[in-house]
């Protein structure tokens, strides 16, 4: 043990093995007042055992299978750090697919052929002993079934492969932990680490969530590609169930980890030292918490209190020791021990039973000085046991001061809240306890406050005049004031024009710049005061004065004292024209780099005519001087002689260095080049250096000419790079530049947003949520997310017409958005894509949602026909936008008298399937007003109004008109209109005439000689939709009625919209194109059959010989875009097929490589070949395929493939 201290030193190097000193140590300090003990100190030697020898068999796996390479390091103290490397001591790369677990094992979610290697080595590093242990290398071979021929595959047994799972795509399962649930315990204050590693193909992505809670934002971190969740400084509030979710395109799997946070004991209230006097009461409190609840035990002087000498003044109550009427012999050191299974706490508290008379520690006769009407604080620092009581007295025979006027603080300080002149005097502090008394006197002086009795006043002075500010100060005669003047809250200018005496500030020869605020500040040792006034400077009274003008140019410029980077310039000023020259501006011209351009170099005061100019290297300088006075600037002087400075290395580097990729595999480095002036010498070049930011690679450098761009090719996609651009010339390099960060080129995102959810808010608004795409899969700067949505069809109208997709873009990392302006009662689809600087990623799977019903629009029309004496008939068209299923119509009407007053309102409900209604029992010759609207389950729509009059009676009509009858109206069609889209148009009209008329539509291309095309209108509708029109074409249209009352409307002309690229339909899916291709294929088939039969009439020949004799190199397939024959290339069939299959030169047909077969175009399965390659039997009629329905066919027969099947 070191002399004079309690430090124990163990020298293991000279005093034996470390294991000899393993154990638990505790220090005890003891004197006559008691004994204190330290916490237990555990000493354990470090250990780094060797790896157990084992024989590791090589592993052979199929492509796509999972794999776990065990490490199982030896148990050391402290535990080793695990890492995987190869024979070259290079760390094995890890990713979302391959990663190291917390236990050191190496996990493969699925293996790939590039995982094949023979040197998977696990290393264990024991930091304390500075040793590294190595496991035997593990050999892994990944094979693909496609690389084996059928013979080898048939002879391999299942046991020769590692594992038995399929190598195809599969949903995720967990490699660790096992099962659906597990438990985890962690101590309070430690770091909680939860791990989930899953296998699957494609590689699963791991997400974490806490059930019934949220993860703490500032304490949560993700490691190992989100496979490990870490929460630092855990507390009991972090207990609960945590769920890890592994997800790929084929499924989702969950694992729940129940976390319990235990706690070693921690203090709530540790015992504190206690000073008591004999006969007093007191207590020691020791409170701790933990999980489980810690046990509290007491010791006195290092001995358990149960076996310590008995003390009648001491009573133990759990975590509290209570002292009653304590005596001096009870002084001791008490220890509190709080322990549970996870640790313990130990605290020492000294109970000192002390009997001391009072002592006052404040210096005697201390003088306190205070300004009147301010608080005064008089100190009385004391000590004693028992705790003394404090009293204050004023004067020699004064009584104790009362707290109604004074404030007595617990520390003995006396406070006078508002000190007055009569507060001056001697104050006595008296401290008493049962062992004695002590007193101390202090002096208090009250001073008069400092005041400015004559303040400075606002002043206006002419330029060149003199102004005086007065500041007269009154102060306590015992204090010495200092007076200071400020201008605009800053020190006065250091000029002789400013004079400060006892009570005044004098400013002579005032100039414009002297205007401002002047402040007088008076300070004493106890207080300070201030007062301010404004000074305004005006022009002097006009007097006949000389003409003021700008100066004449300087002249006689001369260069002397030539140095490498400086030169002395002298000149003679021109006439100042009655206004003093305030400054000279020196400009220079660089005739080598910027001939003809003058640049500002420096400025000097107007009293100076010589200056030493600091110059740059390798510049051919010329100088000129401009004089400036209050009027303005002179003309420049004549240029000086030229002076060429010596070349030097660049003293700066290019600016605006950036690194942005233009392609996914490059990095374009750009910078702002140095100007010729900044080059400092000939041969300006740039050294461009780069390396990956997160890698260990060395810098790659290249020297380029005086350009502003360099392209690095072959970079990985969107990787951060550190970039440096350093200037150099023939003399040398510029200083080392700072590195800036850039990124290699972006590529389109690889992954679509997942977990797309749609929440329909109302009939016109929906909210979309999605999970963000991992940053690694974005492969670029995240621009935002884009939602494509479109209406598939209305719930109320089964329309199959194409509806244009709408796009909404949400900037940044938002994971939700609103879709406004939706149509009620409609089916919608949407998908979400992530967007980076390169473009859009793949779309998420389409999500379907339906908007609820809304209120309908107003009925399209309302007409009143067939008026009689007591009835009216109403006809209407349903709402153009029903926005749901119509439930009924509501008709309200009321009469209107001759004074336009409205009568009672009648309300009628009409079924939704009606478009006509007759009102009876009406008043003759009466005007009625009608209000008409439709309803859905969502409510009532907008109303349409109309007015009509019943006919007059017989007495009021002319004799030639029958009573109660309406004159016959000649049928007619008017207001013919057409609303055109890209390939369709809606034609509407108004009809007046008899009921139950059948209409037809006639239309044709304007200017065409073709006959009108005719369409019959179903029912009595007054609109019709034309489909299948050509985009960008002018059409003529007319409407007519069939039957005896046949008549035709006037013609109308409309033009369809231009073809839109987004609405083009793939020609290969059109019915007319499929039919044309089938016809061509059938024609080719018939020709081939005829030729084949004719060639076989003379006997049987081998097919190969006939092909060699009649090979036709000009066979051309049909182009899909324009129907013409292009060049035929058989390059596709020269590639060797997998699994040892023969090439097309052997005249075999690969079913997987052709869309058609002999079954489709010949005798089906009955067609056979002889050994020499000729057909057996005769050809019969081709079996017809099932015809495709309209555009529904997804695979049209290809004439090219049909031909290849027979050649």
């Amino acid at each position: 043990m070191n002399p004079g201290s309690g430090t124990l030193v163990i020298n293991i190097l000279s005093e034996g093995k470390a294991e000899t000193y393993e154990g638990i140590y505790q220090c005890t300090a003891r004197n006559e007042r008691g004994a204190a003990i330290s916490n237990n100190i555990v000493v354990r030697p470090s250990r780094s055992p060797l790896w157990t020898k084992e024989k590791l068999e090589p592993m052979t796996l199929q492509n796509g299978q999972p794999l776990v390479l065990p490490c199982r390091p030896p148990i050391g103290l402290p535990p080793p750090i695990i890492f995987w490397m190869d024979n070259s001591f290079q760390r094995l790369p890890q990713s979302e697919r391959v990663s190291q677990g917390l236990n050191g094992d190496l996990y493969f979610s699925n293996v790939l052929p590039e995982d094949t290697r023979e040197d998977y080595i696990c290393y264990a590093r024991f930091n304390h002993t500075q040793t590294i242990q190595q496991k035997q290398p593990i050999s892994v071979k990944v094979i693909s079934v496609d690389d084996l021929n059928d013979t080898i595959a048939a002879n391999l047994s299942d046991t020769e492969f590692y594992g038995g799972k399929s190598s195809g795509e599969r949903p995720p399962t967990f490699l660790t932990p096992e099962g659906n649930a597990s438990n985890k315990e962690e101590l309070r204050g430690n770091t909680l680490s939860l791990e989930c590693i899953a296998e699957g193909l494609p590689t699963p992505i791991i997400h974490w969530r806490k059930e019934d809670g949220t993860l703490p934002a500032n304490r949560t971190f993700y490691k190992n590609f989100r496979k490990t969740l870490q929460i630092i400084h855990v507390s009991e509030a972090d207990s609960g169930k945590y769920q890890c979710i592994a997800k790929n395109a084929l499924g989702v799997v969950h694992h729940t980890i129940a976390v319990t946070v235990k706690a070693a004991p921690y203090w709530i209230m540790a015992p504190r030292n206690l000073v008591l006097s004999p006969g007093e009461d007191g207590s020691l409190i020791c409170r701790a918490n933990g999980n489980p609840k810690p046990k509290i035990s007491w010791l006195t002087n290092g001995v358990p209190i149960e076996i310590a000498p008995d003390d009648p003044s001491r009573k133990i109550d759990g975590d509290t020791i209570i002292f009653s009427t304590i005596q001096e012999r009870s002084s001791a050191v008490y220890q509190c021990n709080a322990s549970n299974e996870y640790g313990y706490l130990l605290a020492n508290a000294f109970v000192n039973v002390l009997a001391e008379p009072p002592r006052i520690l404040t210096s005697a006769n201390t003088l306190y000085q205070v300004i009147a009407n301010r608080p005064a604080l008089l100190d009385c620092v004391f000590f004693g046991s028992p705790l003394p009581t404090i009293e204050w007295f004023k004067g020699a025979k004064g009584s104790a001061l009362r707290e109604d006027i004074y404030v007595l603080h617990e520390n003995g300080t006396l406070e006078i809240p508002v000190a007055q002149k009569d507060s001056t005097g001697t104050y006595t502090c008296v401290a008493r306890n049962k062992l004695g008394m002590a007193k101390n006197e202090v002096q208090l002086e009250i001073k008069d406050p400092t005041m400015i009795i004559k303040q400075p006043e606002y002043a206006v002075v002419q330029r060149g005049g003199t102004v005086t500010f007065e500041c007269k100060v009154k102060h306590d005669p015992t204090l010495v004031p200092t007076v200071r003047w400020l201008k605009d809250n800053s020190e006065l200018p250091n000029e002789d024009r400013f004079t400060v005496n006892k009570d005044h500030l004098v400013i002579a020869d005032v100039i414009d710049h002297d205007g401002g605020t002047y402040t007088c500040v008076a300070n004493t040792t106890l207080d300070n005061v201030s007062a301010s006034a404004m000074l305004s400077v005006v022009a002097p009274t006009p007097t006949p004065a000389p003409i003021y003008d700008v100066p004449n140019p300087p002249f006689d410029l001369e260069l002397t004292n030539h140095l490498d980077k400086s030169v002395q310039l002298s000149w003679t000023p021109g006439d100042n024209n009655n206004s003093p020259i305030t400054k000279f501006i020196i400009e220079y011209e660089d005739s080598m780099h910027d001939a003809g351009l003058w640049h500002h170099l420096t400025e000097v005061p107007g009293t100076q005519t010589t200056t030493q100019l600091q110059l740059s290297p390798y510049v051919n300088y010329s100088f000129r001087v401009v004089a400036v006075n209050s009027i303005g600037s002179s003309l420049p002087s004549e240029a000086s002689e030229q002076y060429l400075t010596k070349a030097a290395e660049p003293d700066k580097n290019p600016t605006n260095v950036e690194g942005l990729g233009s392609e996914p595999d490059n990095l374009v480095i750009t910078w702002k080049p140095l100007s010729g002036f900044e080059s400092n010498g000939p041969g300006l070049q740039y050294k461009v250096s780069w390396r990956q930011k997160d890698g260990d690679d060395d810098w790659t450098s290249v020297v380029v000419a005086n350009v502003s761009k360099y392209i690095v090719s072959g970079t990985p996609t969107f990787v951060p790079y550190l970039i440096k651009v350093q200037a150099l010339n023939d003399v040398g390099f510029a200083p080392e530049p700072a590195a800036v960060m850039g990124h290699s080129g972006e590529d389109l995102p690889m992954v679509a947003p997942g977990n797309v959810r749609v929440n329909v808010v109302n009939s016109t608004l929906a909210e979309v949520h999605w999970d963000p795409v991992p940053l690694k899969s974005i492969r670029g700067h995240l621009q935002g997310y884009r939602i494509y949505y479109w209406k598939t069809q209305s719930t109320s109208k089964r329309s199959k017409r194409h509806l244009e997709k709408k796009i909404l873009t949400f900037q940044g990392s938002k994971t939700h958005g609103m879709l406004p302006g939706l149509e009620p009662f409609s089916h919608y689809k949407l998908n979400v894509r992530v967007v980076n600087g390169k473009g859009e990623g793949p779309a998420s799977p389409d999500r379907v949602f339906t908007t609820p019903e809304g209120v309908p629009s107003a009925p399209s029309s309302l007409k009143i026909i067939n008026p009689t004496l007591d009835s009216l008939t109403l006809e209407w068209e349903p709402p153009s936008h029903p926005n749901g299923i119509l439930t009924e119509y509501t008709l309200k009407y009321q009469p209107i008298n001759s004074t336009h007053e409205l009568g009672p309102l009648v309300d009628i409900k009409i079924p939704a399937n009606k478009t006509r209604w007759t009102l009876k029992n009406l008043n003759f010759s009466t005007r009625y007003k009608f209000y008409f609207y439709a309803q859905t389950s969502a409510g009532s729509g907008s109303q349409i109004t109309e007015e009509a009059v019943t006919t007059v009676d017989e007495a009021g009509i002319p004799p030639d008109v029958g009573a109660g009858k309406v004159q016959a109206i000649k049928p007619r069609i008017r207001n013919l209109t057409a609303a055109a889209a890209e390939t369709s148009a809606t034609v509407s009209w108004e009809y007046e005439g008899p009921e139950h008329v059948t209409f037809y539509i006639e239309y044709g291309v304007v200017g065409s000689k073709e006959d009108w095309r005719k369409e019959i209108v179903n029912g009595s509708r007054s609109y019709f939709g034309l489909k299948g029109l050509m985009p960008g074409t002018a059409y003529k249209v007319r409407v007519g009625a069939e039957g005896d009352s046949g008549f035709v409307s006037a013609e109308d002309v409309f033009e369809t919209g231009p073809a839109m690229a987004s609405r083009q339909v793939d020609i290969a899916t059109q019915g007319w194109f499929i039919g044309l291709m089938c016809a061509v294929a059938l024609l080719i088939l018939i020709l081939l059959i005829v030729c084949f039969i004719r060639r076989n009439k003379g006997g049987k020949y081998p097919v190969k010989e006939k092909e060699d004799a009649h090979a036709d190199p000009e066979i051309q397939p049909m182009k899909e875009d324009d129907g013409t024959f292009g060049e035929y290339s058989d390059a596709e069939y020269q590639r060797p097929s997998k699994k040892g299959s023969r090439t097309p030169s052997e005249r075999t047909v690969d079913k997987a490589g052709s869309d058609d077969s002999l079954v489709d175009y010949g005798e089906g399965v009955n067609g056979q070949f002889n050994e020499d390659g000729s057909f057996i039997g005769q050809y019969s009629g081709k079996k017809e395929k099932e015809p495709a329905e309209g555009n529904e066919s997804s695979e049209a027969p290809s004439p090219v493939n049909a031909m290849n099947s027979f050649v």
Side-chain angles (χ1 to χ4, degrees), residues 640-831:
S640 71
E641 62 181 303
Q642 291 187 344
Y643 176 52
L644 177 63
T645 54
K646 290 180 61 176
E649 64 271 11
D651 52 17
K652 62 186 301 186
N653 286 300
T655 58
N656 298 341
V657 178
E658 293 182 341
L660 297 172
S662 60
E663 297 295 336
D665 59 349
N666 75 7
L667 172 66
V668 180
I669 303 173
T670 60
W671 60 90
K672 181 182 179 182
L674 300 181
S675 65
F677 179 87
E678 298 168 329
S679 65
N680 287 3
L684 178 62
Q685 294 178 298
Y686 300 98
K687 178 183 177 183
V688 185
S689 305
W690 67 91
R691 70 176 178 87
Q692 287 193 23
K693 178 178 179 295
D694 299 325
D696 297 329
D697 298 336
D698 293 330
W699 289 90
T700 303
S701 301
V702 63
V703 176
V704 300
N706 187 12
V707 295
S708 62
K709 181 172 70 173
Y710 182 78
I711 301 177
V712 181
S713 301
T715 63
T717 302
F718 196 65
V719 170
Y721 276 82
L722 294 178
I723 302 164
K724 296 189 294 187
V725 180
Q726 184 179 24
L728 66 149
N729 58 20
D730 293 345
V731 179
F733 286 84
E736 183 70 16
V740 299
M741 192 175 76
H743 284 83
S744 56
E746 301 179 71
D747 203 348
L748 294 177
M750 298 186 298
V751 178
N755 195 19
V756 177
R757 290 106 51 207
V758 181
N759 176 31
V760 178
V761 180
N762 55 40
S763 60
T764 61
L765 181 67
E767 183 177 16
V768 184
H769 290 262
W770 59 89
D771 289 347
V773 173
L775 292 177
K776 183 176 180 181
S777 300
I778 296 176
R779 301 200 296 180
H781 296 286
L782 175 63
Q783 303 291 330
Y785 291 86
R786 191 167 289 162
I787 300 179
Y788 285 75
Y789 65 102
W790 64 96
K791 189 176 78 170
T792 56
Q793 65 182 31
S794 173
T795 308
S796 58
K797 293 185 179 180
R798 299 284 181 176
S799 172
K800 291 188 178 181
R801 64 186 180 91
H802 176 74
L803 292 173
E804 185 176 1
K805 292 183 178 179
K806 297 181 179 180
I807 304 173
L808 278 179
T809 301
F810 299 90
Q811 303 294 334
S813 57
K814 290 189 66 174
T815 57
H816 68 278
M818 307 297 288
L819 302 184
L822 303 176
E823 293 186 18
F825 204 50
S826 300
H827 292 302
Y828 279 86
K829 285 186 178 180
L830 65 79
N831 56 54

Side-chain angles (χ1 to χ4, degrees), residues 119-137:
D119 55 350
Y120 285 96
I121 305 174
C122 181
Y123 289 86
R125 183 174 67 206
F126 298 88
N127 285 344
H128 204 73
T129 60
Q130 298 295 312
T131 58
I132 296 178
Q133 305 290 352
Q134 172 185 335
K135 185 182 177 76
Q136 291 295 321

